[in-house]
Amino acid sequence: MTERQEDIVPEVVTRLKPDGSDRMFYRVLWNGHSAIRMNPAPGLQGIREARSFFLIGSHLFQAGLPVPEIFEYDPETGVLIVEDLGDLRLFDLAVKAGENRSRQELLDVYEGV
């Protein structure tokens, strides 16, 4: 992605289910691109968690691990714009795989993604 955040004018913004988090997630579509906007949980703790997400996520991505690329991060607000990896969640894969599977088989699902 080569566009800067100020160059992005969303055409469609869809709120996503947060799954047990106080953070808010949105799928943002513009000029044929899709990304996820993550608003931090309220308060200073949310800003700190967003900073940790940015630092750890950037490190893992640079190390070549399969994590979403972080396109933008605002340290003042904690808002992150990250690569959209689609609707399939690792948790859903584990639940589906968990039916009549051993603990080791479930661990293999997590490690194989």
Side-chain angles (χ1 to χ4, degrees), residues 3-38:
E3 297 177 273
R4 296 181 321 213
Q5 185 175 8
E6 57 266 18
D7 297 330
I8 298 171
V9 178
E11 296 165 1
V12 178
V13 177
T14 306
R15 186 170 178 190
L16 303 174
K17 184 178 174 185
D19 291 334
S21 171
D22 287 337
R23 295 177 293 174
M24 300 196 45
F25 299 88
Y26 302 88
R27 176 166 285 126
V28 181
L29 301 174
W30 78 101
N31 293 337
H33 299 285
S34 178
I36 301 297
R37 176 186 168 125
M38 298 170 50

Side-chain angles (χ1 to χ4, degrees), residues 22-79:
D22 287 337
R23 295 177 293 174
M24 300 196 45
F25 299 88
Y26 302 88
R27 176 166 285 126
V28 181
L29 301 174
W30 78 101
N31 293 337
H33 299 285
S34 178
I36 301 297
R37 176 186 168 125
M38 298 170 50
N39 291 6
L44 185 57
Q45 185 62 30
I47 301 285
R48 289 179 180 154
E49 288 174 355
R51 182 173 188 271
S52 294
F53 182 98
F54 171 72
L55 294 172
I56 294 167
S58 296
H59 173 75
L60 294 175
F61 184 81
Q62 290 172 3
L65 294 170
V67 297
E69 181 177 2
I70 299 171
F71 298 135
E72 295 285 336
Y73 166 62
D74 182 348
E76 290 183 29
T77 64
V79 171

Side-chain angles (χ1 to χ4, degrees), residues 77-94:
T77 64
V79 171
L80 293 133
I81 306 294
V82 303
E83 181 179 10
D84 185 351
L85 299 179
D87 292 323
L88 186 61
R89 299 177 310 156
L90 183 57
F91 177 76
D92 294 334
L93 286 175

